Structure formats: structure tokens, C-alpha cells
Amino acid sequence: MIFEYMRPPSFGDLFPSRYAFKYLERGMRYVGWMPPSRNNPNYWIYCAYGVIVTTLCGAYLPFGFFISYFVDFGSFTPGDFLTSIQVAFNSVCLAVKIAIVLPNLWRFKKAKTLLDILDKPCFQEGAGDEIHRCVARCNFVYMVYQVAYSSYSALTCLSSVLFGSTPWGFYIPFVDYRSSNSRFWVAASIEIIVGSVAVTLDQFVDVYPVIFGIILRTHIQLLIKRVERLRKNSSQSDNENYEELVNCIKDHKNILEFAEVFRPLVSGTIFAQFLAIGLCLGLSAVNLLFFSTIWTGLATSVFIIVLMIETFPFCYISELIERDCIELTHAIFHSDWVSASKRYKATLVFFLHQTQQTIAFIAGGIFPICMRTNIEMAKLAFTVVTVFKQMNIVEKLT
């Protein structure tokens, strides 16, 4: 079933945290990013397929866009040019993000191993339903991204074909789509396939930080609840209470390790998107305000939505994670430790000290990943629109 991993929890059939990446990994497998074991007879064929897909969509596509501006610039209408160039800059950003993600795909496997360790005490203490809901929420988020990105591809392809132009206008060697009707359909088909796959790859590298953030938040919140229950069971001995505290410290260490596994990926890809979002949003706004028809306007509007969800959700989740870390510190301090043994108090102080530093993410080691940074980067779009108006670029393009 397509929606199997979004179903509500049922007794005796609960999803572990690693299932949050189910749809994402399935998509990555289709584009050649999840090779089978080396013992598989199709291993090298699959790797060759993955190299071809990644090279076309991640390496050739940015060059194809900018080559077309030198070779065939005079044939662009203003609307077609802006539709093309707004995606061209995003394709450069996609190439950078792919270069960051591909060498680090091993981190997904390591992260799932850590999630299995974190899941064990949660299921033992009856928190399996919350883990299951987190997994279903992550897979639902993936589907939302899938609908948004696929809608953009479909609307762009439909609007271009209706008006007799290719969807994105990147350079295709040996194919002049204006020379004949058959060549037009050949060029349009190539662009639809390559462009749609590129949009899908962009979806993969944009949705995994959100999934990672949701899982991380869930396990921090579950740890907070466990800390709040420390020494609340009067039937437990001092040694059992101490053992529970030590287990909470171990789980906190595993949570920090899980965050560190994804930190380089999140930092690099969000940094690349921060650099591109203002320019891409500005070009899209100019296209939408001055040159769009009904169909191209719909496609551009969806593209603006896609640009916003590339950074906004994780920036928001990142702030919530920092807030959860602070709540964890408060939960430790306000737990029932006054009448505990000296050994318990000493260990609690160590735990409290370990949680003083919140989990924060820095994009490229420069920009803090938060709502303020996201808004500041998005505001660059107004600068782009202002430049277009003040320099009369709109009239010149027309």
C-alpha cells in the first residue's frame, strides 16, 4: 500500500523510528542513490544507472541552462527566460547539495542504528505509540513535499507544451526543437524527463532535514517525560532509581550522537539554499508580477512555495529543538532529587551540566539556522525586484 507508513498506531504493530525514512529511501533507490550489496549481480549496473542520473541532473543541468543563454538567447521570450533562469540558479544550488549528500549517504545507515538504540527504552516503557505517530508524521511530510514538487513539475511542463515551448529551455546538443514538430517533442520529452528527475532529487535533499528534525524532537520530548518520572515510583529501590538516571544519561548521549551524524549534511545543504533563496525568490516574483500568463503564473506560484519549504520548516523545527533542550534542563532540575542519595545527586549534577549546551545548527559554520536567518535571506527577494524596477530591466526585457 502506498500510504501504509502513514496509518495510525495499532496494538502489537507499531513502527520503529527507522521507518520514518521509508518513503525517502524508496525514492532514493529509484534514482540510484541506494545501491544493493556488492554481492548482488546487478550492483554495477545499478551504480552505472545512478551515475548517469546524477550526472545528467546534478552536473549537466546547470551547464545546460547557462549554455542555452549564450547559444539561443535571442529566441527566449521574457517569461520563458525568467522561468528558465529562476530554475537555473536553483539547479546550481542542487548540484552543490548533491555533492554534499552523496558522499555522506552512509550517515543514514548509522542514524538508523542509533534510532534502534533510542527506541528500545521507549517501547519498553509504553511510548511505542508516540514513536509510531512520529514515523507516520515524517512520512506524511514526505508526501506533502512530493505533492508540492510534483505539482511544480507538472504545471511547468503543461504550461510550456500548451504555449509551444520546452519546459525549462536548457541546451540539448544536436536537437533544435524549432526546426520541426517531431524535434520539438523530442526536446520537450528530454526536458520533461531530466527536469522532473532533477526536481525529485531536489525534493530528497530538502525533505530529509525536516524528517531528521521531527525524529530528533520526538526523542528529546520522550526523554523529558522519562526524566520527569525519575524517583516517582515509590516501589523502586535507590539502585533502581540510579540505574534509570544512568539510562537517561546514556539516551541523551545517543541523542547528541544522532544530531552529530546529520549535522554536516544539514549545515551544508541549508547553507547552499540560504545563498540561493533570495535570488530565486526575487526572479520568481518578477516573473509572476510582470510576465506570467495564467498557466505559467500557477507554475511560478508553486515554485515559490517549493522555495519556501526548502528552508522554512527546518528553521522552525531547529528553534523548537533548542527550546526542547532547555525544557530538558528544567525537567532535570525540577525532578525529585532532594531526598536522593549523594551518588544520585552527583550523577544528576553531571547530567544537568551535559544538557546546558543546546542542540543548535549552523549553516556552513556562518549562519544560525533559525527563523530570523530564513526571513533575512528571503528578504533579498525584495532587493532583486527593486533592482529590476529601478534599472528598467522589465521594460528592456519586454
Side-chain angles (χ1 to χ4, degrees):
M1 293 176 61
I2 298 177
F3 304 109
E4 176 185 0
Y5 297 104
M6 293 189 291
R7 63 172 175 79
S10 57
F11 181 75
D13 188 17
L14 300 175
F15 295 146
S17 294
R18 61 165 48 224
Y19 278 23
F21 297 100
K22 273 290 185 179
Y23 292 147
L24 177 61
E25 289 182 343
R26 186 180 296 175
M28 287 183 171
R29 194 172 296 115
Y30 288 150
V31 299
W33 284 7
M34 289 287 175
S37 64
R38 288 182 176 269
N39 298 327
N40 192 305
N42 297 321
Y43 174 79
W44 293 110
I45 298 175
Y46 182 89
C47 288
Y49 163 74
V51 169
I52 292 171
V53 171
T54 306
T55 302
L56 282 175
C57 301
Y60 172 74
L61 196 60
F63 288 104
F65 276 115
F66 291 102
I67 289 173
S68 67
Y69 304 147
F70 290 100
V71 174
D72 206 21
F73 184 77
S75 62
F76 280 98
T77 66
D80 289 341
F81 174 68
L82 286 171
T83 299
S84 177
I85 200 170
Q86 70 191 19
V87 182
F89 286 109
N90 204 50
S91 69
V92 175
C93 178
L94 172 61
V96 174
K97 291 189 288 187
I98 290 175
I100 294 170
V101 170
L102 285 184
N104 290 285
L105 286 176
W106 60 271
R107 295 180 183 273
F108 286 89
K109 186 175 182 179
K110 184 176 181 181
K112 289 191 292 184
T113 303
L114 288 170
L115 288 175
D116 291 339
I117 298 173
L118 288 169
D119 280 354
K120 189 174 180 181
C122 297
F123 279 95
Q124 289 175 347
E125 297 187 10
D129 285 0
E130 295 186 50
I131 296 291
H132 183 105
R133 293 189 188 95
C134 169
V135 171
R137 194 179 308 121
C138 290
N139 288 314
F140 175 75
V141 167
Y142 175 88
M143 283 299 183
V144 170
Y145 273 69
Q146 180 76 64
V147 170
Y149 283 67
S150 299
S151 298
Y152 165 68
S153 296
L155 287 170
T156 302
C157 296
L158 179 61
S159 62
S160 64
V161 171
L162 287 176
F163 291 98
S165 62
T166 53
W168 289 282
F170 58 82
Y171 177 71
I172 302 174
F174 313 115
V175 180
D176 182 7
Y177 76 90
R178 296 176 185 83
S179 61
S180 66
N181 195 43
S182 59
R183 291 200 172 190
F184 166 78
W185 286 109
V186 169
S189 299
I190 293 173
E191 286 201 19
I192 288 171
I193 294 171
V194 175
S196 298
V197 174
V199 171
T200 303
L201 297 184
D202 202 23
Q203 173 200 335
F204 295 157
V205 296
D206 291 335
V207 73
Y208 79 81
V210 182
I211 294 175
F212 152 71
I214 293 173
I215 298 173
L216 181 60
R217 275 206 74 207
T218 299
H219 279 285
I220 294 174
Q221 290 172 339
L222 290 175
L223 180 59
I224 291 173
K225 293 179 180 179
R226 290 177 60 196
V227 169
E228 290 173 345
R229 292 196 299 267
L230 287 174
R231 302 188 77 248
K232 291 297 177 77
N233 189 348
S234 57
S235 62
Q236 288 183 331
S237 64
D238 289 340
N239 287 333
E240 289 173 333
N241 289 326
Y242 180 77
E243 185 178 351
E244 280 193 1
L245 175 61
V246 170
N247 289 334
C248 288
I249 295 173
K250 290 179 180 179
D251 286 339
H252 180 254
K253 181 182 177 182
N254 289 328
I255 288 173
L256 294 179
E257 188 176 354
F258 176 69
E260 290 301 318
V261 167
F262 273 104
R263 188 181 298 278
L265 282 171
V266 171
S267 174
T269 54
I270 297 294
F271 177 71
Q273 195 57 51
F274 273 162
L275 296 180
I277 186 173
L279 181 59
C280 293
L281 278 174
L283 292 171
S284 300
V286 171
N287 190 13
L288 184 63
L289 292 172
F290 302 109
F291 299 106
S292 290
T293 63
I294 294 177
W295 287 104
T296 57
L298 283 173
T300 304
S301 299
V302 176
F303 182 67
I304 291 173
I305 294 172
V306 166
L307 288 173
M308 295 303 298
I309 65 176
E310 284 180 341
T311 55
F312 170 77
F314 184 74
C315 288
Y316 178 67
I317 291 172
S318 180
E319 290 193 354
L320 294 180
I321 289 172
E322 290 193 52
R323 190 182 305 170
D324 290 338
C325 291
I326 295 172
E327 289 184 10
L328 175 61
T329 303
H330 292 167
I332 296 169
F333 181 78
H334 292 289
S335 63
D336 186 12
W337 54 267
V338 177
S339 59
S341 63
K342 185 176 180 180
R343 181 181 66 164
Y344 184 96
K345 290 179 180 178
T347 307
L348 188 78
V349 170
F350 169 78
F351 189 18
L352 189 63
H353 177 72
Q354 292 297 108
T355 59
Q356 289 296 305
Q357 188 171 359
T358 60
I359 300 174
F361 299 95
I362 308 296
I366 302 174
F367 307 117
I369 300 178
C370 60
M371 290 299 299
R372 181 177 179 179
T373 306
N374 189 70
I375 292 170
E376 290 296 327
M377 293 299 175
K379 283 164 65 176
L380 292 174
F382 296 102
T383 305
V384 175
V385 176
T386 303
V387 169
F388 266 72
K389 293 181 68 176
Q390 293 294 329
M391 298 182 66
N392 296 323
I393 297 177
V394 173
E395 288 78 5
K396 293 176 182 178
L397 285 174
T398 303

